[in-house]
Amino acid sequence: MFGPRIRSRYDSRARIPLKPVELNDFRDFLKTKPKNDPDSSVMYIHIPFCSRLCDFCAYTKIIGEESIIKLYVQKIKQHIKQLSNYAQFKEKVYSAVYFGGGSPCYINTQYIREIIEVIQDHFNLQNDCEITAELTVEDIQAEKLDQLHRSGINRISVGIQSFNTKARQLLGRIHTQEDILERAELLKESAFETICTDLIYHPELQNKSEWKDDLSYIKSLGFSGFSLYPLILFPNSKLSQNGVFSEADIQVEYDYYRMADNYILNLSGWDSITPHQYGLFDENTSEYILKVAEQSDILAFGCGSGGRIENYQYVITNDVNAFIQNPDNSFFADMSCFSVSKKYYNVSNLLLLPEALKIGIQESKQFPDKLRYNFDYLKSKSLIDETEKNYYLTQIGRFWAGNIADYLRSEIIKLFS
Ligand code: SF4
């Protein structure tokens, strides 16, 4: 039913019907109090620095130098303080803060601590607020882990991509399987209870037996959250430009996906949270991911980040040097802002289905019939199924989630055009 698989959720998100908004209008909106008693929100901080640049990576990042990092952190702290003065945020409670990158732990941990302190001083954080930092294998050092824990980080997401040495070399990663297993011992001995990881699959990276081995480490090393990605050949990444990998056959890609999905869902206590993410559900190890999937507000700071406050969305420039060098230190200086048109307000929740994997049957009844018929159509293709309470994505539906999002968005646009 679909054309090429949409592998990156960012590709499908780009189709959300949005219209540009003047920054002054966005500022005026932020001066108002939230309309409803708000549920807890989450915060994202982008730290775009790495020690070296990986071949497959398309994220916003540069090689970090101390003088630049210092200026960047100063700006972030200023932005956090500035935003805290707006009425929109005075009474909001934040249940998760996420440091993403780049490699947030590449910068001196003192900087992370300073940012967390500014957030704690200016925003209401829930008592058990989840504070995550992404970590590279390189950063897994006993002292660093201890410093991070003492700075307030309580959840670690370590980017491994594959435990297989050959696959790692193909991705331009320098650490071998032995290095990772050695460092995994440090993770086990650390004070962190919630440690998550990610793996990337592609038939030219691992054969199926090697993929099975990769997956087995999720249990044996005691991870409590896991992100699963196909290898995406982003046009601006070195990996795509050097032509080492070909586009995977879709049936073979599905076989790899299904092996991983079956493996994880058979682990005790694990469930899928989004089409790409899984976690130990009972232990609530993925507050940030859950909230983002449920379309909660995201207050985002830093280069290349994107935030969402009610019906407004904003993106901050991904040009790190321009961001740092801009003499205007305002949060709004390097930003573009958009809003969802009013006509879409009542139907935008339809997109919870491909993002949060389910939508309430009761809730779906509020949609116009023309949109509700899509549920029957998706069901006839075995992409969704239903329980008494919910429509939910099937295993094959989760594999095609990006395309389902795209399809539903285009149906919404058609309905109102
Ligand atoms: S994969 Fe991570 S460490 Fe590598 S360049 Fe991208 S952000 Fe940096």
Side-chain angles (χ1 to χ4, degrees):
M1 103 177 238
F2 300 122
R5 183 183 179 208
I6 296 178
R7 298 184 173 93
S8 162
R9 58 189 175 157
Y10 299 106
D11 287 344
S12 72
R13 267 188 195 168
R15 316 274 173 95
I16 291 176
L18 296 172
K19 58 173 188 185
V21 165
E22 293 291 332
L23 286 180
N24 277 341
D25 292 342
F26 182 44
R27 271 203 200 96
D28 287 345
F29 160 73
L30 295 182
K31 288 175 191 161
T32 64
K33 285 189 167 190
K35 276 194 215 95
N36 309 315
D37 195 13
D39 193 11
S40 65
S41 304
V42 297
M43 209 178 276
Y44 176 83
I45 318 284
H46 194 80
I47 307 289
F49 303 106
C50 297
S51 60
R52 59 190 294 275
L53 303 183
C54 306
D55 292 351
F56 62 93
C57 181
Y59 297 123
T60 299
K61 81 280 166 184
I62 60 169
I63 302 274
E65 285 168 28
E66 180 54 28
S67 56
I68 293 180
I69 294 171
K70 195 172 175 188
L71 289 172
Y72 185 87
V73 171
Q74 269 168 10
K75 277 215 172 195
I76 295 289
K77 290 193 294 184
Q78 263 168 331
H79 291 178
I80 294 169
K81 288 181 198 165
Q82 184 190 354
L83 263 274
S84 70
N85 293 320
Y86 283 88
Q88 263 300 317
F89 308 112
K90 292 263 183 225
E91 286 154 31
K92 274 190 181 158
V93 173
Y94 290 81
S95 57
V97 177
Y98 193 100
F99 284 84
S103 312
C105 298
Y106 170 71
I107 68 173
N108 192 317
T109 313
Q110 172 64 22
Y111 290 137
I112 302 271
R113 191 167 66 186
E114 287 173 17
I115 295 173
I116 293 176
E117 280 171 359
V118 173
I119 295 171
Q120 286 168 333
D121 290 347
H122 293 82
F123 285 87
N124 307 313
L125 297 193
Q126 204 168 280
N127 280 344
D128 56 351
C129 182
E130 174 190 282
I131 307 184
T132 302
E134 291 177 350
L135 194 77
T136 60
V137 173
E138 207 170 339
D139 291 321
I140 307 176
Q141 298 154 14
E143 201 188 332
K144 183 104 191 172
L145 291 170
D146 185 47
Q147 286 169 356
L148 284 167
H149 194 260
R150 281 192 280 118
S151 73
I153 301 288
N154 52 27
R155 181 179 180 275
I156 285 291
S157 177
V158 53
I160 290 186
Q161 290 93 41
S162 175
F163 290 89
N164 183 291
T165 302
K166 175 203 74 185
R168 297 184 57 74
Q169 281 166 353
L170 285 168
L171 291 171
R173 306 300 255 174
I174 50 176
H175 295 95
T176 62
Q177 185 171 55
E178 289 70 35
D179 294 334
I180 299 181
L181 295 181
E182 225 172 80
R183 288 173 192 237
E185 287 306 311
L186 297 177
L187 286 175
K188 273 192 196 165
E189 287 160 13
S190 74
F192 290 103
E193 286 176 13
T194 308
I195 301 173
C196 308
T197 191
D198 59 14
L199 291 175
I200 294 180
Y201 59 95
H202 187 286
E204 290 162 30
L205 269 185
Q206 316 99 328
N207 62 33
K208 285 188 182 164
S209 152
E210 289 165 338
W211 181 226
K212 200 171 160 196
D213 290 344
D214 257 346
L215 293 167
S216 70
Y217 287 112
I218 295 166
K219 183 172 181 211
S220 64
L221 297 180
F223 290 109
S224 40
F226 168 57
S227 301
L228 169 68
Y229 300 109
L231 181 68
I232 303 174
L233 298 170
F234 291 106
N236 59 347
S237 69
K238 264 204 226 161
L239 203 64
S240 166
Q241 286 152 7
N242 66 20
V244 171
F245 290 94
S246 48
E247 196 75 22
D249 175 86
I250 201 68
Q251 184 56 49
V252 176
E253 190 169 287
Y254 180 65
D255 291 345
Y256 275 70
Y257 161 80
R258 196 174 47 180
M259 270 174 76
D261 194 65
N262 287 341
Y263 173 81
I264 299 292
L265 296 182
N266 278 326
L267 295 178
S268 171
W270 282 70
D271 209 342
S272 43
I273 305 171
T274 74
H276 303 288
Q277 285 142 323
Y278 304 79
L280 263 171
F281 232 73
D282 299 345
E283 295 179 20
N284 190 17
T285 55
S286 311
E287 174 72 5
Y288 180 83
I289 295 169
L290 270 168
K291 285 281 175 183
V292 172
E294 287 167 2
Q295 320 245 4
S296 297
D297 284 359
I298 309 167
L299 181 52
F301 295 97
C303 246
S305 67
R308 176 171 66 206
I309 316 286
E310 289 195 6
N311 292 308
Y312 289 86
Q313 296 186 22
Y314 62 86
V315 286
I316 299 175
T317 178
N318 57 11
D319 183 335
V320 184
N321 289 314
F323 178 86
I324 293 165
Q325 281 157 19
N326 191 339
D328 183 348
N329 283 326
S330 159
F331 172 72
F332 303 93
D334 296 288
M335 171 187 292
S336 308
C337 186
F338 309 89
S339 79
V340 177
S341 302
K342 275 204 178 107
K343 61 185 177 183
Y344 297 123
Y345 283 5
N346 292 337
V347 294
S348 58
N349 266 3
L350 180 64
L351 303 177
L352 284 176
L353 177 67
E355 289 273 334
L357 308 179
K358 63 176 191 276
I359 191 162
I361 288 184
Q362 202 55 35
E363 198 177 346
S364 76
K365 289 188 178 150
Q366 75 185 20
F367 301 135
D369 283 347
K370 275 193 181 163
L371 284 182
R372 284 182 45 213
Y373 294 146
N374 290 300
F375 289 89
D376 298 332
Y377 179 63
L378 293 171
K379 206 172 158 196
S380 74
K381 300 285 175 191
S382 304
L383 295 164
I384 67 170
D385 208 341
E386 62 185 295
T387 62
E388 235 173 73
K389 286 190 178 159
N390 294 311
Y391 288 109
Y392 67 93
L393 290 191
T394 59
Q395 184 177 58
I396 189 162
R398 294 199 301 278
F399 180 75
W400 288 103
N403 298 69
I404 294 174
D406 211 42
Y407 165 73
L408 292 175
R409 282 173 184 136
S410 63
E411 289 297 297
I412 291 173
I413 295 166
K414 237 194 280 170
L415 183 71
F416 291 101
S417 61

